[in-house]
Amino acid sequence: MPVIVITGASSGIGEALALRLAAPGTTLHLVARRRERLEALEERLRAKGAPPRLHVADVRDPDALEKVAQTVLDEGPPPDLLIANAGIRGEGDGNGREAMEEILGTNVLGVLNTVLPFLPAMRAARKGQIAVVGSLAGYRGLPEAGAYCASKAALMAWTDSLRLSLAPDGIALSLVNPGFVTTEMTRRNPYPMPFVISADEAAARILRGIERKAPRIEFPGPMVMMVRLLAILPPSLSDRLLRLAKREGH
Ligand SMILES: NC(=O)c1ccc[n+]([C@@H]2O[C@H](COP(=O)([O-])OP(=O)(O)OC[C@H]3O[C@@H](n4cnc5c(N)ncnc54)[C@H](OP(=O)(O)O)[C@@H]3O)[C@@H](O)[C@H]2O)c1
């Protein structure tokens, strides 16, 4: 009887993961702020024989997430799978203070608020798996997206470290770094999105990686190669390539 917790389940990748994971006997705990969206998903999951538990909560609020964890743990065993997926890209100046506060507050502290309250119970049970959704944008600062890239870079370092400390307790941790995925986040992107995939395809790839307990789940391949190359090139060269790509895109 698997217990699975997903944040950011009201749309996009989180919703697609919930739909793929729904099966009779599986308890899905879904977290997001938009109640109506969660309720619409609830209907679809019920039809698949997996009525979910809904938690309307803001991942930026540590008390609210503490309460979510307490509810989950009061109701049953610690999660077999915890997916910290909620995230934002932000609007406006992507390099300013407001963006840093808003985006790091959600994408970094929100992930901590999600994961940390479950750790004592998961450690005691010596089982379970955690997946944190980052982004390939974490490999290198991209034009006008400094805060978003910084948030995902922080998740790379934090999950690399946490994975080492969780391993002796038998808990696997995967960082998921997708490339472009068609969701509400990217729908209004004014620039081209190379190798873009659907949210359902992203969910399928994520679940294959989770199955393998892969430390990093990254896709699509050509985009992974591109960002890794950008990250190892000297900045004088990668800056030039990015400026060129930006000019071509507009
Ligand atoms: N789409 C892409 O191309 C792409 C690429 C790489 C990585 N990612 C990452 O994938 C994850 C999911 O994004 P998506 O593309 O599926 O976008 P999305 O459709 O906009 O979904 C974002 C989800 O996060 C939730 N969320 C945002 N802020 C929240 C908060 N403060 N508290 C609780 N929930 C919150 C939203 O729910 P509510 O608004 O209802 O709260 C929504 O369910 C993000 O971490 C994103 O950075 C996306």
Side-chain angles (χ1 to χ4, degrees), residues 5-19 29-42 44-45 52-59 83 85-88 183-185 187 199:
V5 179
I6 308 173
T7 68
S10 61
S11 62
I13 296 171
E15 180 181 52
L17 283 166
L19 285 164
H29 290 271
L30 307 181
V31 185
R33 294 167 300 179
R34 288 171 296 174
R35 177 185 295 280
E36 69 290 351
R37 292 292 302 254
L38 286 177
E39 285 174 353
L41 178 59
E42 178 180 25
R44 298 173 70 191
L45 298 173
R53 299 276 288 105
L54 306 184
H55 306 265
V56 177
D58 188 326
V59 294
I83 307 180
N85 160 75
I88 55 167
T183 66
E184 286 178 19
M185 186 179 280
R187 204 150 283 150

mmCIF file of all heavy atoms in Angstrom, residues 5-19 29-42 44-45 52-59 83 85-88 183-185 187 199:
data_model
loop_
_atom_site.group_PDB
_atom_site.id
_atom_site.type_symbol
_atom_site.label_atom_id
_atom_site.label_comp_id
_atom_site.label_asym_id
_atom_site.label_seq_id
_atom_site.Cartn_x
_atom_site.Cartn_y
_atom_site.Cartn_z
ATOM 1 N N VAL A 5 3.674 11.387 -1.509
ATOM 2 C CA VAL A 5 3.365 12.807 -1.301
ATOM 3 C C VAL A 5 3.939 13.589 -2.482
ATOM 4 O O VAL A 5 5.106 13.397 -2.842
ATOM 5 C CB VAL A 5 4.003 13.328 0.010
ATOM 6 C CG1 VAL A 5 3.693 14.810 0.212
ATOM 7 C CG2 VAL A 5 3.541 12.509 1.214
ATOM 8 N N ILE A 6 3.121 14.463 -3.077
ATOM 9 C CA ILE A 6 3.601 15.283 -4.211
ATOM 10 C C ILE A 6 3.230 16.738 -3.950
ATOM 11 O O ILE A 6 2.050 17.055 -3.752
ATOM 12 C CB ILE A 6 2.950 14.861 -5.554
ATOM 13 C CG1 ILE A 6 3.097 13.363 -5.801
ATOM 14 C CG2 ILE A 6 3.542 15.663 -6.713
ATOM 15 C CD1 ILE A 6 2.322 12.859 -7.033
ATOM 16 N N THR A 7 4.214 17.636 -3.961
ATOM 17 C CA THR A 7 3.884 19.063 -3.904
ATOM 18 C C THR A 7 3.807 19.613 -5.331
ATOM 19 O O THR A 7 4.435 19.080 -6.247
ATOM 20 C CB THR A 7 4.921 19.880 -3.103
ATOM 21 O OG1 THR A 7 6.164 19.897 -3.822
ATOM 22 C CG2 THR A 7 5.119 19.329 -1.704
ATOM 23 N N GLY A 8 3.020 20.688 -5.478
ATOM 24 C CA GLY A 8 2.847 21.264 -6.812
ATOM 25 C C GLY A 8 2.077 20.321 -7.709
ATOM 26 O O GLY A 8 2.379 20.181 -8.892
ATOM 27 N N ALA A 9 1.043 19.685 -7.116
ATOM 28 C CA ALA A 9 0.292 18.670 -7.870
ATOM 29 C C ALA A 9 -0.899 19.267 -8.618
ATOM 30 O O ALA A 9 -1.615 18.541 -9.290
ATOM 31 C CB ALA A 9 -0.185 17.571 -6.914
ATOM 32 N N SER A 10 -1.107 20.586 -8.507
ATOM 33 C CA SER A 10 -2.314 21.166 -9.102
ATOM 34 C C SER A 10 -2.156 21.453 -10.589
ATOM 35 O O SER A 10 -3.129 21.835 -11.240
ATOM 36 C CB SER A 10 -2.700 22.453 -8.357
ATOM 37 O OG SER A 10 -1.652 23.400 -8.453
ATOM 38 N N SER A 11 -0.952 21.311 -11.141
ATOM 39 C CA SER A 11 -0.792 21.496 -12.589
ATOM 40 C C SER A 11 0.527 20.885 -13.054
ATOM 41 O O SER A 11 1.322 20.417 -12.238
ATOM 42 C CB SER A 11 -0.858 22.989 -12.967
ATOM 43 O OG SER A 11 0.191 23.695 -12.361
ATOM 44 N N GLY A 12 0.714 20.920 -14.355
ATOM 45 C CA GLY A 12 1.996 20.584 -14.967
ATOM 46 C C GLY A 12 2.563 19.222 -14.593
ATOM 47 O O GLY A 12 1.870 18.193 -14.611
ATOM 48 N N ILE A 13 3.841 19.230 -14.253
ATOM 49 C CA ILE A 13 4.575 17.981 -14.010
ATOM 50 C C ILE A 13 4.014 17.246 -12.787
ATOM 51 O O ILE A 13 3.865 16.025 -12.795
ATOM 52 C CB ILE A 13 6.086 18.286 -13.825
ATOM 53 C CG1 ILE A 13 6.671 18.857 -15.121
ATOM 54 C CG2 ILE A 13 6.854 17.048 -13.390
ATOM 55 C CD1 ILE A 13 8.106 19.401 -15.005
ATOM 56 N N GLY A 14 3.671 17.996 -11.731
ATOM 57 C CA GLY A 14 3.145 17.371 -10.513
ATOM 58 C C GLY A 14 1.832 16.657 -10.773
ATOM 59 O O GLY A 14 1.609 15.530 -10.306
ATOM 60 N N GLU A 15 0.968 17.312 -11.543
ATOM 61 C CA GLU A 15 -0.327 16.710 -11.890
ATOM 62 C C GLU A 15 -0.107 15.449 -12.735
ATOM 63 O O GLU A 15 -0.729 14.400 -12.502
ATOM 64 C CB GLU A 15 -1.166 17.735 -12.668
ATOM 65 C CG GLU A 15 -2.511 17.231 -13.087
ATOM 66 C CD GLU A 15 -3.294 18.275 -13.871
ATOM 67 O OE1 GLU A 15 -2.750 18.827 -14.849
ATOM 68 O OE2 GLU A 15 -4.440 18.557 -13.507
ATOM 69 N N ALA A 16 0.806 15.545 -13.698
ATOM 70 C CA ALA A 16 1.085 14.389 -14.570
ATOM 71 C C ALA A 16 1.655 13.225 -13.761
ATOM 72 O O ALA A 16 1.332 12.059 -14.014
ATOM 73 C CB ALA A 16 2.068 14.804 -15.675
ATOM 74 N N LEU A 17 2.481 13.530 -12.770
ATOM 75 C CA LEU A 17 3.028 12.469 -11.910
ATOM 76 C C LEU A 17 1.902 11.800 -11.127
ATOM 77 O O LEU A 17 1.852 10.573 -11.012
ATOM 78 C CB LEU A 17 4.054 13.058 -10.934
ATOM 79 C CG LEU A 17 5.434 13.385 -11.531
ATOM 80 C CD1 LEU A 17 6.231 14.265 -10.569
ATOM 81 C CD2 LEU A 17 6.206 12.095 -11.831
ATOM 82 N N ALA A 18 0.992 12.617 -10.580
ATOM 83 C CA ALA A 18 -0.120 12.059 -9.799
ATOM 84 C C ALA A 18 -0.955 11.127 -10.671
ATOM 85 O O ALA A 18 -1.334 10.025 -10.247
ATOM 86 C CB ALA A 18 -0.971 13.193 -9.231
ATOM 87 N N LEU A 19 -1.222 11.557 -11.913
ATOM 88 C CA LEU A 19 -2.059 10.734 -12.805
ATOM 89 C C LEU A 19 -1.364 9.416 -13.144
ATOM 90 O O LEU A 19 -2.002 8.376 -13.222
ATOM 91 C CB LEU A 19 -2.378 11.517 -14.086
ATOM 92 C CG LEU A 19 -3.431 12.613 -13.883
ATOM 93 C CD1 LEU A 19 -3.429 13.609 -15.036
ATOM 94 C CD2 LEU A 19 -4.833 12.006 -13.708
ATOM 95 N N HIS A 29 -0.972 11.871 -1.448
ATOM 96 C CA HIS A 29 -1.183 13.128 -0.720
ATOM 97 C C HIS A 29 -0.725 14.251 -1.641
ATOM 98 O O HIS A 29 0.452 14.293 -2.014
ATOM 99 C CB HIS A 29 -0.362 13.154 0.567
ATOM 100 C CG HIS A 29 -0.859 12.204 1.608
ATOM 101 N ND1 HIS A 29 -1.810 12.560 2.539
ATOM 102 C CD2 HIS A 29 -0.537 10.914 1.864
ATOM 103 C CE1 HIS A 29 -2.049 11.523 3.326
ATOM 104 N NE2 HIS A 29 -1.296 10.509 2.940
ATOM 105 N N LEU A 30 -1.652 15.116 -2.016
ATOM 106 C CA LEU A 30 -1.333 16.150 -3.001
ATOM 107 C C LEU A 30 -1.347 17.532 -2.354
ATOM 108 O O LEU A 30 -2.316 17.896 -1.675
ATOM 109 C CB LEU A 30 -2.359 16.110 -4.139
ATOM 110 C CG LEU A 30 -2.557 14.736 -4.798
ATOM 111 C CD1 LEU A 30 -3.585 14.838 -5.917
ATOM 112 C CD2 LEU A 30 -1.233 14.178 -5.327
ATOM 113 N N VAL A 31 -0.291 18.288 -2.587
ATOM 114 C CA VAL A 31 -0.126 19.599 -1.946
ATOM 115 C C VAL A 31 -0.054 20.686 -3.018
ATOM 116 O O VAL A 31 0.706 20.552 -3.985
ATOM 117 C CB VAL A 31 1.178 19.640 -1.116
ATOM 118 C CG1 VAL A 31 1.289 20.968 -0.354
ATOM 119 C CG2 VAL A 31 1.291 18.447 -0.173
ATOM 120 N N ALA A 32 -0.823 21.761 -2.844
ATOM 121 C CA ALA A 32 -0.721 22.964 -3.690
ATOM 122 C C ALA A 32 -1.602 24.041 -3.062
ATOM 123 O O ALA A 32 -2.314 23.774 -2.092
ATOM 124 C CB ALA A 32 -1.152 22.678 -5.124
ATOM 125 N N ARG A 33 -1.554 25.257 -3.644
ATOM 126 C CA ARG A 33 -2.379 26.345 -3.079
ATOM 127 C C ARG A 33 -3.765 26.401 -3.702
ATOM 128 O O ARG A 33 -4.712 26.777 -3.060
ATOM 129 C CB ARG A 33 -1.668 27.692 -3.315
ATOM 130 C CG ARG A 33 -0.372 27.837 -2.550
ATOM 131 C CD ARG A 33 0.417 29.021 -3.072
ATOM 132 N NE ARG A 33 0.734 28.842 -4.493
ATOM 133 C CZ ARG A 33 1.392 29.705 -5.241
ATOM 134 N NH1 ARG A 33 1.796 30.845 -4.716
ATOM 135 N NH2 ARG A 33 1.639 29.454 -6.513
ATOM 136 N N ARG A 34 -3.893 26.031 -4.987
ATOM 137 C CA ARG A 34 -5.194 26.202 -5.667
ATOM 138 C C ARG A 34 -6.108 25.003 -5.418
ATOM 139 O O ARG A 34 -6.005 23.974 -6.086
ATOM 140 C CB ARG A 34 -4.966 26.397 -7.177
ATOM 141 C CG ARG A 34 -4.377 27.756 -7.523
ATOM 142 C CD ARG A 34 -3.972 27.826 -8.967
ATOM 143 N NE ARG A 34 -2.897 26.896 -9.282
ATOM 144 C CZ ARG A 34 -2.426 26.669 -10.504
ATOM 145 N NH1 ARG A 34 -2.946 27.299 -11.541
ATOM 146 N NH2 ARG A 34 -1.449 25.805 -10.693
ATOM 147 N N ARG A 35 -7.027 25.229 -4.462
ATOM 148 C CA ARG A 35 -7.931 24.142 -4.072
ATOM 149 C C ARG A 35 -8.740 23.616 -5.249
ATOM 150 O O ARG A 35 -8.884 22.401 -5.427
ATOM 151 C CB ARG A 35 -8.881 24.641 -2.963
ATOM 152 C CG ARG A 35 -9.898 23.599 -2.536
ATOM 153 C CD ARG A 35 -10.885 24.143 -1.534
ATOM 154 N NE ARG A 35 -10.258 24.514 -0.278
ATOM 155 C CZ ARG A 35 -9.919 23.657 0.693
ATOM 156 N NH1 ARG A 35 -10.157 22.378 0.529
ATOM 157 N NH2 ARG A 35 -9.350 24.083 1.798
ATOM 158 N N GLU A 36 -9.261 24.545 -6.086
ATOM 159 C CA GLU A 36 -10.152 24.105 -7.168
ATOM 160 C C GLU A 36 -9.418 23.202 -8.147
ATOM 161 O O GLU A 36 -9.994 22.255 -8.679
ATOM 162 C CB GLU A 36 -10.838 25.315 -7.837
ATOM 163 C CG GLU A 36 -9.975 26.266 -8.658
ATOM 164 C CD GLU A 36 -8.983 27.131 -7.845
ATOM 165 O OE1 GLU A 36 -9.046 27.140 -6.608
ATOM 166 O OE2 GLU A 36 -8.138 27.798 -8.486
ATOM 167 N N ARG A 37 -8.147 23.480 -8.370
ATOM 168 C CA ARG A 37 -7.374 22.648 -9.291
ATOM 169 C C ARG A 37 -7.123 21.258 -8.682
ATOM 170 O O ARG A 37 -7.156 20.242 -9.359
ATOM 171 C CB ARG A 37 -6.033 23.311 -9.627
ATOM 172 C CG ARG A 37 -6.152 24.583 -10.463
ATOM 173 C CD ARG A 37 -6.636 24.265 -11.859
ATOM 174 N NE ARG A 37 -5.748 23.328 -12.512
ATOM 175 C CZ ARG A 37 -4.886 23.632 -13.476
ATOM 176 N NH1 ARG A 37 -4.827 24.874 -13.912
ATOM 177 N NH2 ARG A 37 -4.122 22.720 -14.029
ATOM 178 N N LEU A 38 -6.863 21.257 -7.377
ATOM 179 C CA LEU A 38 -6.659 19.962 -6.708
ATOM 180 C C LEU A 38 -7.947 19.147 -6.744
ATOM 181 O O LEU A 38 -7.924 17.931 -6.954
ATOM 182 C CB LEU A 38 -6.212 20.179 -5.259
ATOM 183 C CG LEU A 38 -4.764 20.651 -5.039
ATOM 184 C CD1 LEU A 38 -4.502 20.878 -3.559
ATOM 185 C CD2 LEU A 38 -3.757 19.641 -5.601
ATOM 186 N N GLU A 39 -9.089 19.847 -6.549
ATOM 187 C CA GLU A 39 -10.371 19.125 -6.534
ATOM 188 C C GLU A 39 -10.711 18.560 -7.917
ATOM 189 O O GLU A 39 -11.283 17.474 -8.033
ATOM 190 C CB GLU A 39 -11.475 20.040 -6.004
ATOM 191 C CG GLU A 39 -11.349 20.184 -4.488
ATOM 192 C CD GLU A 39 -12.308 21.199 -3.876
ATOM 193 O OE1 GLU A 39 -12.999 21.911 -4.636
ATOM 194 O OE2 GLU A 39 -12.342 21.279 -2.637
ATOM 195 N N ALA A 40 -10.344 19.306 -8.961
ATOM 196 C CA ALA A 40 -10.588 18.800 -10.324
ATOM 197 C C ALA A 40 -9.755 17.532 -10.564
ATOM 198 O O ALA A 40 -10.231 16.552 -11.149
ATOM 199 C CB ALA A 40 -10.234 19.873 -11.349
ATOM 200 N N LEU A 41 -8.518 17.554 -10.066
ATOM 201 C CA LEU A 41 -7.645 16.379 -10.222
ATOM 202 C C LEU A 41 -8.170 15.212 -9.385
ATOM 203 O O LEU A 41 -8.103 14.048 -9.812
ATOM 204 C CB LEU A 41 -6.209 16.755 -9.802
ATOM 205 C CG LEU A 41 -5.162 15.650 -9.838
ATOM 206 C CD1 LEU A 41 -5.021 15.049 -11.236
ATOM 207 C CD2 LEU A 41 -3.792 16.184 -9.370
ATOM 208 N N GLU A 42 -8.695 15.550 -8.217
ATOM 209 C CA GLU A 42 -9.237 14.505 -7.324
ATOM 210 C C GLU A 42 -10.249 13.634 -8.072
ATOM 211 O O GLU A 42 -10.228 12.408 -7.966
ATOM 212 C CB GLU A 42 -9.892 15.178 -6.110
ATOM 213 C CG GLU A 42 -10.522 14.196 -5.145
ATOM 214 C CD GLU A 42 -11.168 14.916 -3.960
ATOM 215 O OE1 GLU A 42 -11.546 16.092 -4.105
ATOM 216 O OE2 GLU A 42 -11.287 14.280 -2.898
ATOM 217 N N ARG A 44 -10.451 12.986 -11.241
ATOM 218 C CA ARG A 44 -9.797 12.112 -12.230
ATOM 219 C C ARG A 44 -9.091 10.948 -11.535
ATOM 220 O O ARG A 44 -9.061 9.829 -12.050
ATOM 221 C CB ARG A 44 -8.795 12.915 -13.065
ATOM 222 C CG ARG A 44 -9.475 14.032 -13.860
ATOM 223 C CD ARG A 44 -8.468 14.915 -14.534
ATOM 224 N NE ARG A 44 -7.782 14.251 -15.637
ATOM 225 C CZ ARG A 44 -6.715 14.740 -16.257
ATOM 226 N NH1 ARG A 44 -6.205 15.895 -15.869
ATOM 227 N NH2 ARG A 44 -6.155 14.094 -17.230
ATOM 228 N N LEU A 45 -8.531 11.220 -10.363
ATOM 229 C CA LEU A 45 -7.816 10.163 -9.641
ATOM 230 C C LEU A 45 -8.799 9.165 -9.033
ATOM 231 O O LEU A 45 -8.532 7.966 -8.984
ATOM 232 C CB LEU A 45 -6.918 10.777 -8.561
ATOM 233 C CG LEU A 45 -5.817 11.694 -9.105
ATOM 234 C CD1 LEU A 45 -5.082 12.395 -7.974
ATOM 235 C CD2 LEU A 45 -4.827 10.896 -9.949
ATOM 236 N N PRO A 52 -7.439 10.729 -3.759
ATOM 237 C CA PRO A 52 -6.275 11.273 -3.049
ATOM 238 C C PRO A 52 -6.668 12.028 -1.789
ATOM 239 O O PRO A 52 -7.843 12.325 -1.576
ATOM 240 C CB PRO A 52 -5.712 12.261 -4.062
ATOM 241 C CG PRO A 52 -6.931 12.772 -4.775
ATOM 242 C CD PRO A 52 -7.920 11.646 -4.813
ATOM 243 N N ARG A 53 -5.688 12.348 -0.957
ATOM 244 C CA ARG A 53 -5.866 13.266 0.167
ATOM 245 C C ARG A 53 -5.333 14.617 -0.295
ATOM 246 O O ARG A 53 -4.231 14.690 -0.842
ATOM 247 C CB ARG A 53 -5.074 12.778 1.386
ATOM 248 C CG ARG A 53 -5.505 11.434 1.882
ATOM 249 C CD ARG A 53 -6.712 11.529 2.809
ATOM 250 N NE ARG A 53 -6.371 12.100 4.102
ATOM 251 C CZ ARG A 53 -6.667 13.340 4.495
ATOM 252 N NH1 ARG A 53 -7.316 14.158 3.698
ATOM 253 N NH2 ARG A 53 -6.319 13.761 5.686
ATOM 254 N N LEU A 54 -6.123 15.665 -0.129
ATOM 255 C CA LEU A 54 -5.720 16.989 -0.606
ATOM 256 C C LEU A 54 -5.226 17.851 0.557
ATOM 257 O O LEU A 54 -5.837 17.858 1.635
ATOM 258 C CB LEU A 54 -6.897 17.687 -1.293
ATOM 259 C CG LEU A 54 -7.587 16.918 -2.428
ATOM 260 C CD1 LEU A 54 -8.670 17.784 -3.072
ATOM 261 C CD2 LEU A 54 -6.591 16.434 -3.475
ATOM 262 N N HIS A 55 -4.141 18.580 0.327
ATOM 263 C CA HIS A 55 -3.594 19.490 1.339
ATOM 264 C C HIS A 55 -3.408 20.848 0.670
ATOM 265 O O HIS A 55 -2.495 21.005 -0.149
ATOM 266 C CB HIS A 55 -2.254 18.997 1.862
ATOM 267 C CG HIS A 55 -2.294 17.589 2.385
ATOM 268 N ND1 HIS A 55 -2.487 17.288 3.718
ATOM 269 C CD2 HIS A 55 -2.178 16.388 1.746
ATOM 270 C CE1 HIS A 55 -2.475 15.977 3.877
ATOM 271 N NE2 HIS A 55 -2.297 15.404 2.701
ATOM 272 N N VAL A 56 -4.288 21.787 0.995
ATOM 273 C CA VAL A 56 -4.138 23.128 0.427
ATOM 274 C C VAL A 56 -3.136 23.871 1.304
ATOM 275 O O VAL A 56 -3.416 24.201 2.455
ATOM 276 C CB VAL A 56 -5.500 23.864 0.376
ATOM 277 C CG1 VAL A 56 -5.315 25.281 -0.148
ATOM 278 C CG2 VAL A 56 -6.473 23.084 -0.505
ATOM 279 N N ALA A 57 -1.948 24.078 0.783
ATOM 280 C CA ALA A 57 -0.887 24.685 1.594
ATOM 281 C C ALA A 57 0.125 25.368 0.688
ATOM 282 O O ALA A 57 0.283 25.014 -0.482
ATOM 283 C CB ALA A 57 -0.178 23.607 2.423
ATOM 284 N N ASP A 58 0.802 26.349 1.269
ATOM 285 C CA ASP A 58 1.834 27.108 0.568
ATOM 286 C C ASP A 58 3.192 26.591 1.044
ATOM 287 O O ASP A 58 3.478 26.645 2.248
ATOM 288 C CB ASP A 58 1.659 28.600 0.923
ATOM 289 C CG ASP A 58 2.565 29.502 0.102
ATOM 290 O OD1 ASP A 58 3.688 29.091 -0.221
ATOM 291 O OD2 ASP A 58 2.123 30.626 -0.205
ATOM 292 N N VAL A 59 4.005 26.114 0.133
ATOM 293 C CA VAL A 59 5.286 25.512 0.548
ATOM 294 C C VAL A 59 6.229 26.528 1.191
ATOM 295 O O VAL A 59 7.209 26.152 1.830
ATOM 296 C CB VAL A 59 6.031 24.789 -0.617
ATOM 297 C CG1 VAL A 59 5.257 23.585 -1.096
ATOM 298 C CG2 VAL A 59 6.368 25.740 -1.751
ATOM 299 N N ILE A 83 7.775 13.613 -3.327
ATOM 300 C CA ILE A 83 8.239 14.373 -4.494
ATOM 301 C C ILE A 83 8.066 15.864 -4.222
ATOM 302 O O ILE A 83 6.941 16.373 -4.182
ATOM 303 C CB ILE A 83 7.489 13.970 -5.782
ATOM 304 C CG1 ILE A 83 7.549 12.447 -5.999
ATOM 305 C CG2 ILE A 83 8.081 14.699 -6.982
ATOM 306 C CD1 ILE A 83 6.822 11.955 -7.257
ATOM 307 N N ASN A 85 8.131 18.965 -5.744
ATOM 308 C CA ASN A 85 8.091 19.423 -7.141
ATOM 309 C C ASN A 85 7.675 20.882 -7.280
ATOM 310 O O ASN A 85 8.022 21.536 -8.265
ATOM 311 C CB ASN A 85 7.116 18.505 -7.907
ATOM 312 C CG ASN A 85 6.602 19.125 -9.193
ATOM 313 O OD1 ASN A 85 7.322 19.199 -10.181
ATOM 314 N ND2 ASN A 85 5.354 19.612 -9.169
ATOM 315 N N ALA A 86 6.956 21.425 -6.289
ATOM 316 C CA ALA A 86 6.415 22.795 -6.417
ATOM 317 C C ALA A 86 7.534 23.774 -6.723
ATOM 318 O O ALA A 86 8.609 23.724 -6.120
ATOM 319 C CB ALA A 86 5.700 23.204 -5.133
ATOM 320 N N GLY A 87 7.279 24.647 -7.670
ATOM 321 C CA GLY A 87 8.295 25.637 -8.022
ATOM 322 C C GLY A 87 7.702 26.723 -8.889
ATOM 323 O O GLY A 87 6.634 26.558 -9.485
ATOM 324 N N ILE A 88 8.407 27.853 -8.940
ATOM 325 C CA ILE A 88 7.973 28.972 -9.787
ATOM 326 C C ILE A 88 9.170 29.479 -10.590
ATOM 327 O O ILE A 88 10.316 29.278 -10.202
ATOM 328 C CB ILE A 88 7.395 30.146 -8.958
ATOM 329 C CG1 ILE A 88 8.402 30.619 -7.891
ATOM 330 C CG2 ILE A 88 6.069 29.769 -8.330
ATOM 331 C CD1 ILE A 88 8.044 31.943 -7.248
ATOM 332 N N THR A 183 4.077 23.333 -19.798
ATOM 333 C CA THR A 183 3.223 23.449 -18.611
ATOM 334 C C THR A 183 2.789 24.915 -18.509
ATOM 335 O O THR A 183 3.206 25.745 -19.323
ATOM 336 C CB THR A 183 3.975 23.085 -17.312
ATOM 337 O OG1 THR A 183 4.993 24.057 -17.093
ATOM 338 C CG2 THR A 183 4.594 21.696 -17.362
ATOM 339 N N GLU A 184 2.032 25.235 -17.476
ATOM 340 C CA GLU A 184 1.649 26.642 -17.265
ATOM 341 C C GLU A 184 2.895 27.526 -17.161
ATOM 342 O O GLU A 184 2.877 28.681 -17.550
ATOM 343 C CB GLU A 184 0.827 26.781 -15.976
ATOM 344 C CG GLU A 184 -0.575 26.262 -16.135
ATOM 345 C CD GLU A 184 -1.370 26.344 -14.841
ATOM 346 O OE1 GLU A 184 -0.985 27.099 -13.928
ATOM 347 O OE2 GLU A 184 -2.391 25.640 -14.761
ATOM 348 N N MET A 185 3.967 26.959 -16.604
ATOM 349 C CA MET A 185 5.194 27.744 -16.391
ATOM 350 C C MET A 185 5.809 28.217 -17.702
ATOM 351 O O MET A 185 6.385 29.288 -17.783
ATOM 352 C CB MET A 185 6.204 26.887 -15.611
ATOM 353 C CG MET A 185 7.436 27.627 -15.206
ATOM 354 S SD MET A 185 8.575 26.585 -14.266
ATOM 355 C CE MET A 185 7.857 26.607 -12.654
ATOM 356 N N ARG A 187 4.161 28.062 -20.830
ATOM 357 C CA ARG A 187 3.199 28.264 -21.918
ATOM 358 C C ARG A 187 3.398 29.607 -22.624
ATOM 359 O O ARG A 187 3.239 29.718 -23.827
ATOM 360 C CB ARG A 187 1.777 28.151 -21.365
ATOM 361 C CG ARG A 187 0.766 27.774 -22.419
ATOM 362 C CD ARG A 187 -0.380 26.985 -21.840
ATOM 363 N NE ARG A 187 -0.034 25.591 -21.576
ATOM 364 C CZ ARG A 187 -0.571 24.847 -20.621
ATOM 365 N NH1 ARG A 187 -1.470 25.364 -19.821
ATOM 366 N NH2 ARG A 187 -0.217 23.603 -20.470
ATOM 367 N N ALA A 199 4.184 17.310 -20.369
ATOM 368 C CA ALA A 199 4.277 17.019 -18.930
ATOM 369 C C ALA A 199 4.150 15.513 -18.686
ATOM 370 O O ALA A 199 4.810 14.957 -17.801
ATOM 371 C CB ALA A 199 3.195 17.781 -18.180
#
